[in-house]
Amino acid sequence: MSNGTSIPDQGAARTVVSVDAMGGDRGPAAVVAGLVASARRDPNIDFILHGDETVLRPMVDRHGEVAARVQIRHAPRVVTMSDKPSQVMRHGDGTSMWSAIESVKQGEAKVAVSCGNTGALMAVAMIRLRKLPGVNRPAIACLWPSRNPGGFNVMLDVGADIKAEPEDLLQYATMGAAYARNGLDLARPRVGLLNVGTEEHKGRAELKIAHDRMTAAQDAAGFEFVGFVEGGDIPSSRVDVIVTDGFTGNIALKTGEGTAKLVSELLREAFSASLLSRFAALLALGSLKRLQKRIDPRRVNGGVFLGLNGTVVKSHGSADETGVSAAIRLAAQLARSGFNDRLAARLASAEAAGQDAPEQESGEQK
Amino acid sequence: MSNGTSIPDQGAARTVVSVDAMGGDRGPAAVVAGLVASARRDPNIDFILHGDETVLRPMVDRHGEVAARVQIRHAPRVVTMSDKPSQVMRHGDGTSMWSAIESVKQGEAKVAVSCGNTGALMAVAMIRLRKLPGVNRPAIACLWPSRNPGGFNVMLDVGADIKAEPEDLLQYATMGAAYARNGLDLARPRVGLLNVGTEEHKGRAELKIAHDRMTAAQDAAGFEFVGFVEGGDIPSSRVDVIVTDGFTGNIALKTGEGTAKLVSELLREAFSASLLSRFAALLALGSLKRLQKRIDPRRVNGGVFLGLNGTVVKSHGSADETGVSAAIRLAAQLARSGFNDRLAARLASAEAAGQDAPEQESGEQK
């Protein structure tokens, strides 16, 4: 995993993260700023940065001590937000996105991070990395601020595919539980299936089938199935992993973000309404900042693609330095935990049997 | 419309609201408290209250001046939250819910309000009131706090039916626009179709068909179609009416409510974290209360059933006095505006033609 870095770190294992510098809404400057912030916080990450070298070189070289840990990989083309996934899949060679995925494919990096077009990124990742054996539909998982002790729940799929069959939903449950075990350190995550009511007779026919299959599969797949959950349960402590199709999950994710943003804006307005409230805001500054941090979507930035031969983290297109840095931190954490190998093993064992696989279970604990 | 009230009000038109006293999570006490609060604020409402007379009579008689405006209609049975809609539809006679709808059917009341089982209420309303001519699927519309000048957007369907065909979505647009014209006083509401992206090639096939039909129908139906909107746009000022199927709408509604609740709880915790922040909260009390009021789901309590021969307002099952009172206020407002007759006329004209109906348009302005 050496890439010729000049800062050896007392023999600590180094993690290489492949970063797509282009294609985000704020351009390469935000990506490089996030990379530099991550590099400073975590001396054990090295980077391969993909994009236009003439643009990237001066940006990176400004940060001498970090520059030595960044390898720039020139890619002349950029995938834009309006490019169609099918086009990028066929003609994406030479783009920074394609190049970033290629580094994972070639084993130079453990994980790739991109702020680019989600559909195109999933298409390129699918065609280059291929799906894990037994996976029909890969999914995008996100973290969601919650009342649970760890502060977050996992929800998937939040937008890889607009539909999901019962088998797909069961795989999402298995993959989401594996993510929660590694990312949230939960031995036996509680999985809920998103529906319009918690009674068993409610909802669409495919959800009832998925409900029955999850009930039967929970032990083999290493999760506890809590049944149907509703939209209001997503930020609750009733559940750790929320499973849904990518259409519903994407709407829920964006609705939640939009609501949190509205409340934050109204809060800011409330505190600037009068001299007295401005003074109050000053007094409560510490508490308010902690709250802001807790619900700031940039701090949990990063949808993880699950079900591929390799880990890909999709950052928000509009991510700034804070957002990019959060996505890189998540990517490095997943790479270090060997998450994807564990997920592959879990999927294989869950597929192989309706029987439990305890030797696998212990292997997955952190 | 007289019902023998003893408080004539200088000849002002009186509105009769039919209220289901039973079946809410908090029982009849919360409903009666909400009714009394509404009655005190609005002297031009009379009530028919449906439920167990031996329970209701003493609750109502405690409020002498209001009691004279409340007619109690004894109904021995109660629909519970776990009753299946199909059962209630067949055997619901004698329940307070059935009786409350029956008052609208018989023309004694202009509008019915219930905190009970949503599915059962829709089933009873469908079978007793019948659908408006040309309506395939009735819908439930809710108000959503937003950045628009009026403070709210309309979203539908939030749970009448778990699926919707393109024709249904087009009717939802027409019905939602009529609701926004009457409820939010907008001459030409902007309608958006909820999807996972705003580009035209995104989303499910039925959404693309609905997109094209709404584009073609917008003038005849009296709304401006803004195209696809995303979850983050629901609380925004980009759109006035958000159209979606009842599965997605219900998930979005509950996700938004759950997120707002989480943020409010975290805010309360933040302000009780230290002596200083508790002091700050005291100073900012006025601003915080205004904010709380703005985002309090109880204050916009009331899903309106659209597409029936009669208006029904579904209050949250867990509504307290404030929530019930908000639902009654909304019901009275809709009854007074003659909303349902206008909606019926609008649907008829939209169905009759792809041509605009300007005499109808002017009739719908407030």
Side-chain angles (χ1 to χ4, degrees), chain A residues 81 84 144-147 162 194-196 199 201 203-204 207 230-232 234-235 245-248 250-252 254-256 258-260 262-263 265-267 269-271 273-274 276-277 279-280 283-284 287-288 290-291 294-295, chain B residues 81 84 144-147 162 194-196 199 201 203-204 207 230-232 234-235 245-248 250-252 254-256 258-260 262-263 265-267 269-271 273-274 276-277 279-280 283-284 287-288 290-291 294-295:
Chain A
M81 289 298 175
K84 285 196 181 184
W144 193 291
S146 83
R147 299 298 282 175
I162 53 169
L194 192 60
N195 198 355
V196 294
E199 300 90 345
H201 65 271
R204 296 171 171 155
L207 290 179
E230 300 187 69
I234 300 176
D245 66 276
F247 184 89
T248 309
N250 185 273
I251 301 268
K254 291 185 177 165
T255 302
T259 306
L262 175 70
V263 177
E265 288 171 2
L266 293 175
L267 188 62
E269 289 169 21
F271 274 110
S274 69
L276 198 62
S277 58
F279 178 57
L283 291 185
S287 306
L288 284 175
R290 271 193 302 278
L291 171 65
R294 177 89 196 272
I295 60 169
Chain B
M81 290 296 178
K84 285 198 180 184
W144 192 293
S146 83
R147 298 299 281 174
I162 53 170
L194 192 60
N195 198 355
V196 294
E199 300 90 345
H201 65 271
R204 297 171 172 157
L207 290 179
E230 300 187 67
I234 300 177
D245 66 274
F247 184 89
T248 310
N250 184 273
I251 302 268
K254 291 185 177 166
T255 302
T259 307
L262 175 70
V263 176
E265 287 171 4
L266 294 175
L267 188 62
E269 289 168 22
F271 273 109
S274 70
L276 198 62
S277 57
F279 178 56
L283 290 184
S287 306
L288 285 175
R290 270 192 302 280
L291 171 65
R294 178 86 196 273
I295 61 169

Side-chain angles (χ1 to χ4, degrees), chain B residues 18-345:
Chain B
S18 170
V19 178
D20 172 8
M22 322 299 279
D25 300 340
R26 294 169 191 252
V31 176
V32 171
L35 181 154
V36 169
S38 314
R40 289 204 171 122
R41 201 177 33 232
D42 186 340
N44 295 317
I45 311 181
D46 295 323
F47 301 89
I48 307 177
L49 185 64
H50 305 261
D52 186 338
E53 183 157 18
T54 58
V55 175
L56 298 177
R57 177 63 63 197
M59 285 182 178
V60 170
D61 283 352
R62 210 171 303 148
H63 308 280
E65 79 292 5
V66 168
R69 289 156 58 195
V70 182
Q71 204 184 111
I72 295 177
R73 192 69 53 85
H74 181 65
R77 297 172 56 218
V78 177
V79 175
T80 69
M81 290 296 178
S82 58
D83 284 340
K84 285 198 180 184
S86 54
Q87 289 290 323
V88 178
M89 204 162 76
R90 277 194 293 273
H91 310 292
D93 203 0
T95 62
S96 59
M97 180 185 280
W98 188 284
S99 182
I101 296 289
E102 199 62 27
S103 282
V104 176
K105 165 85 178 169
Q106 301 304 333
E108 300 178 295
K110 273 280 189 191
V111 57
V113 175
S114 174
C115 304
N117 180 328
T118 308
L121 184 62
M122 180 51 96
V124 172
M126 289 252 278
I127 200 158
R128 295 307 297 152
L129 303 179
R130 299 282 168 188
K131 295 184 280 190
L132 281 172
V135 170
N136 177 32
R137 286 194 164 92
I140 305 178
C142 72
L143 292 174
W144 192 293
S146 83
R147 298 299 281 174
N148 272 320
F152 296 100
N153 290 343
V154 171
M155 182 160 80
L156 75 167
D157 175 24
V158 295
D161 204 323
I162 53 170
K163 62 182 196 168
E165 306 299 332
E167 287 89 319
D168 301 321
L169 293 169
L170 175 56
Q171 281 181 348
Y172 294 174
T174 304
M175 297 195 298
Y179 183 32
R181 260 193 300 275
N182 290 279
L184 300 175
D185 211 5
L186 301 169
R188 191 174 159 84
R190 294 162 302 162
V191 171
L193 183 57
L194 192 60
N195 198 355
V196 294
T198 53
E199 300 90 345
E200 287 189 24
H201 65 271
K202 288 222 172 165
R204 297 171 172 157
E206 69 261 32
L207 290 179
K208 291 170 204 164
I209 300 170
H211 183 285
D212 293 346
R213 301 195 59 162
M214 287 182 194
T215 304
Q218 55 185 325
D219 288 329
F223 60 81
E224 180 191 336
F225 183 51
V226 301
F228 290 135
V229 296
E230 300 187 67
D233 296 318
I234 300 177
S236 81
S237 58
R238 266 200 67 205
V239 65
D240 303 303
V241 178
I242 296 99
V243 169
T244 187
D245 66 274
F247 184 89
T248 310
N250 184 273
I251 302 268
L253 173 65
K254 291 185 177 166
T255 302
E257 286 176 353
T259 307
K261 183 162 162 273
L262 175 70
V263 176
S264 298
E265 287 171 4
L266 294 175
L267 188 62
R268 200 166 304 127
E269 289 168 22
F271 273 109
S272 47
S274 70
L275 207 60
L276 198 62
S277 57
R278 276 199 291 271
F279 178 56
L282 261 175
L283 290 184
L285 205 60
S287 306
L288 285 175
K289 279 205 168 151
R290 270 192 302 280
L291 171 65
Q292 193 82 39
K293 197 167 163 175
R294 178 86 196 273
I295 61 169
D296 183 351
R298 296 177 306 164
R299 309 235 164 216
V300 290
N301 180 35
V304 178
F305 289 9
L306 300 177
L308 300 168
N309 288 297
T311 305
V312 178
V313 174
K314 166 65 176 76
S315 157
H316 247 293
S318 61
D320 58 6
E321 172 182 333
T322 305
V324 171
S325 170
I328 290 175
R329 184 169 60 235
L330 174 63
Q333 182 191 342
L334 290 171
R336 281 191 192 118
S337 72
F339 163 65
N340 217 54
D341 295 338
R342 292 179 182 184
L343 172 59

